[in-house]
Amino acid sequence: MAFLSRSILALSIALSSLHLSAQAQCEVELGHGLIITDDIIRIVDKGQTRVQINNDNQLFIRGYWIDLSNEESLVLAQFSAGIRDTVPELVELATDGVNLGLSAIEQVVEGMSDKEPEVLKTQLQYVERALMDKFKRGDDFFFIAPQSLSKIDDFFTEEISKKIHSAVHGSLGAILVSLGDAFKSREGNIEDRINDMGLRMDIISKEIDKSLQKKAHQLDLKASEYCECLNSLDVTESRLQMIVPSLADFDLVQIKS
């Protein structure tokens, strides 16, 4: 059990360190959700599209097309480009980090038992659902929910980390029952299986830790760049709001400091 406890702790620390290193350098909030595809950007509120930008040059607010001059369209294109340059990469980095952690847990549990406990599947579904409420990507889209980008680390180190911790610990009982059944039926030596389990977890944990540290370094390098980009995007958004005052009702980038 000592092997098991150390390995679970290593997994939790590795996942936490990934996002602590990525703490933003300024207070930036997204006031609304964003859905980004190759051709369309949608600013959404309560599941409804409020602002839509088509092909970086057509603006719709509440479903109504806004006629822009060529000069005004350049400001729209700059605003659209700023969103595309920042948000998809942020979503990718956030989801990659957690997906790696979830995959690692599944590998560890599969190494301990002949089958994955049902409780683990259920708990990991909760983790994935919490993640997708904040960040989601598909083959042809990116989604980010309204949130404080300077507190992304809190979401991962508190909410996601706790859910993963619960998922792993919730599986221990089923794993030990499985090992006990194997021992009773003489399918294998339980001491050898427990030792092998600990060794597997130590090796996997070290590999996960290296991968997450590398990802954490990438996020750390991007943190100040995100801040600069979002500050610049806020300036562009303000210019666009001066051109189209009704756009202020759906203020996207909010700088708090």
Side-chain angles (χ1 to χ4, degrees), residues 105-118:
I105 291 170
E106 290 178 322
Q107 289 182 51
V108 170
V109 174
E110 287 172 2
M112 292 188 290
S113 178
D114 294 334
K115 60 181 181 180
E116 184 176 326
E118 194 65 32

Side-chain angles (χ1 to χ4, degrees), residues 80 86 137 148 213 242 246-247 254:
S80 180
T86 307
R137 66 171 178 178
S148 172
Q213 288 297 335
M242 292 179 66
S246 59
L247 194 60
Q254 301 170 9

Side-chain angles (χ1 to χ4, degrees), residues 4 7-8 11 96-117 120-121 124 128 164 167-168 171 175 193 196-209 211-212:
L4 190 59
S7 300
I8 291 172
L11 281 169
D96 279 350
V98 174
N99 288 339
L100 179 59
L102 297 182
S103 175
I105 291 170
E106 290 178 322
Q107 289 182 51
V108 170
V109 174
E110 287 172 2
M112 292 188 290
S113 178
D114 294 334
K115 60 181 181 180
E116 184 176 326
L120 178 66
K121 294 180 182 179
L124 290 184
E128 291 172 347
I164 290 176
V168 174
S171 305
I175 292 167
R193 293 192 66 179
D196 181 61
M197 177 203 327
L199 181 60
R200 285 170 181 255
M201 291 186 72
D202 280 343
I203 293 172
I204 293 173
S205 295
K206 288 176 183 178
E207 289 303 311
I208 294 167
D209 186 56
S211 298
L212 293 181

Side-chain angles (χ1 to χ4, degrees), residues 68-84:
L68 300 175
S69 68
N70 289 337
E71 185 176 346
E72 291 168 343
S73 293
L74 291 176
V75 180
L76 177 64
Q78 186 178 355
F79 179 60
S80 180
I83 292 173
R84 292 185 181 281

